[in-house]
């Protein structure tokens, strides 16, 4: 699949994230080719044609087992086979496709805009905050953070979440290059 110079596809961004997680945690994430039948079934259940980046994510690089270790709560990606059941379990309204969970908080793609949002359960339902303009930006930001943690060479996973001042400045620059509007929000994952 050809791509423009400097532009990353969603599938490539997910594979990059999986490599960063493996170097950070010495755990072996599993990313595999998705099932076209399962993807078509998901589209039928939702009653929509999913955007191209979602198609790339789940057909070219389905996150069969991918958990990103973070300082507070890990972010666990949802494999294609589990998306529909999780959407039902969380009682998400139409237009939101869950792609990951951080504790009880779902990360979802808002199908109308393509933005990645994180949800907070309220008495009136879900309250959504935009976390990235695209799933590719979201994956790229997580990969940059995981690579920064992995570069610290801490002996235990807990010490790997400590990033020195120079590394933090470099990380801030990398995140701002991905999306300056949401870089500060992504840095909150380090808190």
């Amino acid at each position: 699949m050809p791509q423009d110079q400097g532009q990353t596809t969603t599938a490539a961004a997910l594979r990059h994230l999986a490599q960063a997680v493996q170097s950070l945690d010495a755990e072996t994430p599993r990313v595999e080719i998705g099932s076209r039948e399962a993807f078509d079934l998901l589209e039928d259940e939702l009653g929509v044609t999913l955007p191209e980046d979602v198609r790339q994510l789940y057909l070219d690089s389905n996150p069969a087992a991918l958990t990103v270790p973070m300082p507070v709560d890990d972010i666990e990606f949802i494999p294609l086979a589990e998306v529909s059941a999780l959407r039902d379990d969380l009682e998400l309204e139409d237009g939101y496709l869950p792609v990951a969970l951080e504790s009880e908080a779902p990360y979802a793609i808002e199908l109308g805009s393509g933005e990645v949002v994180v949800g907070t359960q309220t008495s009136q339902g879900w309250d959504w905050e935009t976390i990235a303009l695209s799933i590719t930006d979201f994956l790229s930001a997580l990969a940059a953070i995981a690579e920064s943690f992995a570069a610290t060479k801490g002996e235990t996973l807990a010490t790997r979440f400590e990033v020195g001042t120079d590394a933090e400045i470099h990380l801030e620059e990398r995140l701002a290059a991905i999306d300056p509007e949401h870089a500060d929000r992504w840095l909150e994952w380090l808190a």
Side-chain angles (χ1 to χ4, degrees):
M1 177 182 300
Q3 47 181 325
D4 295 332
Q5 192 73 320
Q7 185 176 10
T8 303
T9 67
T10 304
L14 185 74
R15 289 190 297 271
H16 181 197
L17 175 59
Q19 291 170 338
V21 167
Q22 186 168 3
S23 67
L24 169 64
D25 201 17
E27 192 170 308
T28 306
R30 278 190 18 240
V31 174
E32 58 191 32
I33 301 298
S35 161
R36 180 159 307 278
E37 293 79 22
F39 189 83
D40 291 344
L41 181 62
L42 178 62
E43 284 186 322
D44 288 345
E45 287 177 19
L46 296 174
V48 297
T49 300
L50 293 170
E52 181 59 30
D53 56 353
V54 175
R55 181 175 297 278
Q56 285 179 17
L57 175 70
Y58 282 115
L59 292 180
D60 298 344
S61 293
N62 180 30
L66 177 57
T67 300
V68 181
M70 297 297 273
V72 178
D73 289 308
D74 296 345
I75 297 175
E76 182 178 349
F77 280 83
I78 311 305
L80 174 60
E82 298 173 16
V83 169
S84 184
L86 178 64
R87 190 176 179 282
D88 292 343
D89 290 346
L90 295 173
E91 299 177 356
L92 298 184
E93 55 264 29
D94 290 342
Y96 292 92
L97 185 75
V99 292
L101 279 174
E102 181 179 10
S103 186
E104 300 293 319
Y107 288 92
I109 298 173
E110 197 282 312
L111 296 175
S113 67
E115 295 178 347
V116 177
V117 294
V118 61
T120 305
Q121 184 74 53
T122 69
S123 59
Q124 286 84 31
W126 289 100
D127 185 31
W128 298 102
E129 173 194 2
T130 300
I131 193 88
L133 296 178
S134 71
I135 186 66
T136 304
D137 288 352
F138 176 67
L139 297 169
S140 297
L142 282 173
I145 290 168
E147 288 170 340
S148 291
F149 289 151
T152 64
K153 306 286 187 225
E155 291 183 19
T156 66
L157 188 57
T159 61
R160 287 186 179 213
F161 293 130
E162 297 172 5
V163 179
T165 305
D166 290 343
E168 188 171 346
I169 290 169
H170 179 67
L171 176 59
E172 287 178 30
E173 290 170 352
R174 286 182 67 191
L175 294 176
I178 295 168
D179 178 358
E181 183 178 338
H182 294 96
D184 288 340
R185 175 59 174 89
W186 297 333
L187 287 169
E188 291 176 17
W189 283 324
L190 305 177

